[in-house]
Amino acid sequence: MIQKAIDKATQLSLTPPLVLTDLMNGNQRYTQSKMESRDYESQRNDTVSGQFPKAVILSCIDSRVPIETIFDQGIGDVFVARVAGNFENTDILGSLEYSCKAAGSKLVFVLGHESCGAVKAAIDGVELGNITSMLGNILPAVKKTADQVEGEASSSNSEFVAKTVENNVAMTIERIREKSPILKEMENNGEINIVGGVYHLSTGKVDLL
């Protein structure tokens, strides 16, 4: 049973590749129903005075993608930033910068997921209140997919949706590097890695891109 939360010394000892391996091993445990046992009361008490997460994960708000669960992480292990469609904006970028530059996280993980409703809505050109402008952040990925995948640009085209999910993750990573000199410099210096992946609802597996 894991009783202690991650502390500063442990966080400092980690490298970006080690953190990625830890997350992927956790995902493997999740898919095999071999998740670690944790003393959440002890971890909660450990983190009252501070936190030293190893990674920050930018994910969709989808209720079927519970981040700490699918990576088998406990209290204090990871920061999680969530927005429908897992894209970046000023607030998300600030959150990622805080996680890494101020709080010491070693990994930025952009996680898309199978059959993403926000991606489907962007593909179909849904217009509804503030959702319209939000979906505009995903449209560059839709346009890129249109040049790569034959067939109708529609949410009913599963191949088109899957490729757009991947493109959205990849393009979000590109924009994070473009828009955040802080994170780009940290990555160039080997202090962090910025990676992406796609979660499969049907299997629970995360595939790295």
Side-chain angles (χ1 to χ4, degrees), residues 21-65:
T21 297
D22 179 78
L23 292 180
M24 297 308 292
N25 286 343
N27 179 246
Q28 184 176 42
R29 292 194 299 272
Y30 168 69
T31 61
Q32 296 174 347
S33 297
K34 296 179 180 179
M35 297 172 72
E36 300 275 11
S37 177
R38 289 181 169 82
D39 182 342
Y40 287 109
E41 181 179 4
S42 177
Q43 288 194 323
R44 186 171 67 244
N45 291 334
D46 273 353
T47 53
V48 169
S49 60
Q51 59 173 337
F52 307 97
K54 67 190 84 167
V56 55
I57 301 167
L58 170 55
S59 75
C60 183
I61 64 169
D62 198 292
S63 65
R64 300 166 295 178
V65 192

Side-chain angles (χ1 to χ4, degrees), residues 14-17 105-107 183-193:
L14 295 171
T15 63
S105 292
K106 304 298 181 73
L107 187 75
L183 295 176
K184 181 175 175 59
E185 181 181 22
M186 291 185 75
E187 186 176 38
N188 289 342
N189 291 339
E191 299 171 69
I192 65 169
N193 282 351

